[in-house]
Amino acid sequence: MAEALRIGIAGLGTVGASVARVLRDKSAELTRQCGREIVVTAVSARDRSRDRGVDLGGAKWFDDPIELAEKADIDVFVELIGGDEGAARSCVSAALDAGRHVVTANKALLAKHGVALAEVAEKKGVLLNYEAAVAGGIPVIKTMREAMAGNSVNRVFGILNGTCNYILTRMEAEGLTFEACLKDAQRLGYAEADPTFDIEGNDTAHKLAILTSLAFGTRIASDDIYLEGISNITQADIRAAGELGYRIKLLGVAQRTESGIEQRVHPTMVPTASVIAQVHGVTNAVAIETDILGELLLSGPGAGGNATASAVVGDIADIAKSRPGFQHGPVFGRPAKELRPYKKAQMRSHAGGYFIRLTVHDRTGVFAAIAKRMADNDISLESIVQHANGSDGATQKTVILVTHETTEAAVRKAVDGVTKDGHLTDKPQVIRIERAG
Ligand code: HSE
C-alpha cells in the first residue's frame, strides 16, 4: 500500500471539527477507496482546550497556522480559518509556496485572490481544491470544472446561501420574523462568523464570483457584482409574491449578455411552480444552462458542518488517489494565465420582469399617476393589485405592480418619478423576477 497521506488542518470550528470526525469515522472506507491511509498529523486553532468531540491527541499542535503550513510534516494543508486576508491568506500562500497541496472552503479568499493563488499552485504542480467553497456539499466545482468541458455556458444561477434560504423559507412557512429565523440559523451553525455576510449577500457574491470564472473562463471579478441582501424583505412582500404565483429567493445570477457578463445577487421572484422555488431551508441549488447540455440543476445541503466536511473530504480523497507524476488539472478549469479579462455588463441594462410594491396615500389620482409614470417609461404592466391596509378607515393602500420585460433603468426612473410625485408613505420595494424552469 502507498504511504499514508498526511493532513494538516488549520481552523477547528464547526467545519474543521466535522472534517476531523469524518476522517476518523470513515478511515477504513477512505483507505479502501484511496489505496492509502489519510492521517491528520498536524492541527492549528486558536483555542487548544476546547472540546471538539474528536480526539486530536495524535496530531502535532501548532499555535501558528503559517508555521504549520510551512514546517509540519504534511502533504496536504487544509485551510478552514476563513476570511479573505490575514492568517488564511498567509497560510494558504505559504503552503502553496512550500509545494504542498491545499484544500480550502474559503470562498472569500478565492473570490479575492483565487487567480493569483491558482497561478502559484499551477506553477508548483500542486492541487488547490475548493469544492466546499461553493454551495456546501453540492459537487458543483467538479461538475463545472471537469464534467462540462466544451460546453458554452449562457447563464448560471442559484441559491448559494443556506442561511438566507433557511430564513426566507421559515418566514414564509411559519410567518416568523426575520430576526427569529436568523438566530436559529446561527444556532444550527449555518451562518458566517459575521452573519451580515449572509444576509447582505456578500457570501453569495463570493460564491457567484467563483462560478462566473468557471462558467465563462474569465478572471474572478468579485468587486463587479450588483449586490442586494434580504434584510429589506418583509412579510408583505412574501405574501404578495405568493398571491401572484411567485416565491422570493436570494439568487446569485451570472449571465452572458450582448454587452458583457452580468453578475448580480438580489432577492428574486421565481415562479412558485419552478423547480428552484421548491428548494427549501438550508438546501442550495445551482442551475447551469449550456449549449450542449441544456439545463442542469444540482441541489443539496448548502451549509453546516457535515455538508461542508463532505466536500472537504472529497477534495482530500482526490489528492490521496492522485499519484506522483500525474498532471494536475488547472484550478479554474483552464490555466489561470489563460483566464480572459472580465467584461462587465451594466446593471441598468438588465432586462426582465419586475415586482414593485408601493405603499401610497389613499386619495384620488394616485393610481393614475403611477400608471402614467410606468407608461412614460415604456413599461408594460402584466398586473396591478391594490390592497387596503388595515381597517376600513385606513388612509394608506398597497399597490402591487408586475411588469412585462423591461429594463432596470426604466424601472428605476419610473419608481423615482412615483416617489417625487409625493404619493408614497413608505419606501418603494422593487424585486426582480427571474426566468426559471
Ligand atoms: N454561511 C454560509 C451559508 C455557509 O449560510 O450558506 C456556507 O458557505
Side-chain angles (χ1 to χ4, degrees):
M1 192 180 287
E3 275 184 24
L5 186 79
R6 297 162 305 169
I7 310 292
I9 303 177
L12 291 170
T14 307
V15 177
S18 295
V19 168
R21 267 196 304 274
V22 173
L23 288 175
R24 177 198 66 190
D25 295 349
K26 298 293 177 135
S27 167
E29 181 56 27
L30 286 165
T31 304
R32 272 194 294 277
Q33 285 179 9
C34 303
R36 64 202 290 198
E37 241 187 303
I38 298 173
V39 185
V40 179
T41 54
V43 289
S44 173
R46 262 194 239 138
D47 180 358
R48 201 167 175 155
S49 59
R50 210 173 103 201
D51 179 10
R52 298 177 167 90
V54 55
D55 179 12
L56 292 163
K60 183 164 180 199
W61 188 278
F62 286 80
D63 288 327
D64 179 4
I66 301 170
E67 200 188 334
L68 189 164
E70 281 171 343
K71 301 201 181 128
D73 289 329
I74 55 167
D75 304 297
V76 183
F77 179 71
V78 180
E79 184 273 309
L80 300 170
I81 298 170
D84 60 1
E85 297 292 348
R89 184 184 179 193
S90 304
C91 62
V92 166
S93 296
L96 293 174
D97 285 338
R100 302 175 195 281
H101 300 294
V102 170
V103 172
T104 179
N106 191 335
K107 52 257 162 170
L109 177 71
L110 291 169
K112 195 156 172 195
H113 302 295
V115 176
L117 294 170
E119 282 174 2
V120 179
E122 287 166 23
K123 199 165 127 214
K124 293 278 182 183
V126 293
L127 285 166
L128 170 55
N129 285 349
Y130 54 96
E131 187 62 73
V134 180
I138 302 176
V140 63
I141 304 299
K142 284 187 183 31
T143 303
M144 293 186 76
R145 191 167 64 175
E146 289 151 34
M148 293 177 61
N151 281 268
S152 291
V153 177
N154 296 316
R155 180 171 67 144
V156 55
F157 68 101
I159 296 170
L160 301 174
N161 184 270
T163 300
C164 287
N165 206 48
Y166 175 86
I167 292 172
L168 291 171
T169 301
R170 291 198 66 201
M171 281 177 74
E172 181 189 340
E174 298 169 52
L176 294 175
T177 62
F178 178 89
E179 289 74 20
C181 301
L182 173 60
K183 256 198 197 126
D184 281 352
Q186 287 176 291
R187 185 177 51 77
L188 292 163
Y190 304 150
E192 296 302 300
D194 178 355
T196 50
F197 272 68
D198 296 294
I199 59 180
E200 296 307 341
N202 309 75
D203 178 76
T204 301
H206 291 147
K207 295 166 181 169
L208 182 68
I210 296 168
L211 294 183
T212 304
S213 178
L214 287 164
F216 303 109
T218 47
R219 295 180 76 81
I220 297 177
S222 49
D223 291 338
D224 280 331
I225 299 181
Y226 175 82
L227 194 60
E228 260 178 49
I230 63 164
S231 53
N232 290 332
I233 299 296
T234 63
Q235 283 291 345
D237 297 319
I238 289 174
R239 279 196 305 273
E243 282 169 24
L244 293 163
Y246 292 99
R247 185 164 277 151
I248 301 175
K249 296 289 182 190
L250 182 77
L251 293 190
V253 185
Q255 186 171 4
R256 195 193 291 278
T257 74
E258 278 170 16
S259 61
I261 295 168
E262 201 172 89
Q263 290 189 102
R264 49 196 167 84
V265 172
H266 51 71
T268 309
M269 298 272 196
V270 289
T272 311
S274 63
V275 181
I276 205 147
Q278 317 310 318
V279 174
H280 301 303
V282 72
T283 308
N284 280 194
V286 186
I288 311 158
E289 294 171 356
T290 85
D291 56 349
I292 306 176
L293 184 61
E295 184 174 326
L296 175 71
L297 186 92
L298 303 168
S299 85
N306 275 345
T308 314
S310 169
V312 171
V313 171
D315 277 350
I316 294 172
D318 279 350
I319 297 169
K321 289 173 192 166
S322 71
R323 291 292 176 263
F326 169 81
Q327 188 62 45
H328 298 304
V331 177
F332 290 103
R334 65 199 76 201
K337 287 200 178 310
E338 310 250 318
L339 292 168
R340 289 189 298 273
Y342 169 82
K343 186 171 176 242
K344 179 183 181 177
Q346 291 306 319
M347 189 61 191
R348 295 183 73 79
S349 62
H350 166 70
Y354 285 76
F355 161 100
I356 304 166
R357 181 171 61 79
L358 306 170
T359 314
V360 299
H361 290 291
D362 185 13
R363 60 191 178 207
T364 312
V366 174
F367 216 72
I370 294 170
K372 182 168 184 319
R373 287 290 182 182
M374 296 297 144
D376 287 350
N377 288 286
D378 283 330
I379 297 173
S380 160
L381 297 174
E382 185 184 295
S383 66
I384 307 186
V385 183
Q386 180 173 297
H387 288 292
N389 288 13
S391 58
D392 282 350
T395 57
Q396 302 185 131
K397 280 204 161 37
T398 299
V399 177
I400 292 158
L401 315 166
V402 175
T403 77
H404 285 297
E405 178 156 321
T406 178
T407 63
E408 179 87 15
V411 168
R412 288 193 194 177
K413 244 176 112 188
V415 171
D416 282 352
V418 172
T419 308
K420 276 191 207 117
D421 288 341
H423 301 309
L424 300 187
T425 62
D426 201 355
K427 270 189 12 208
Q429 178 71 292
V430 174
I431 303 179
R432 295 158 197 88
I433 298 171
E434 191 73 21
R435 178 174 51 80

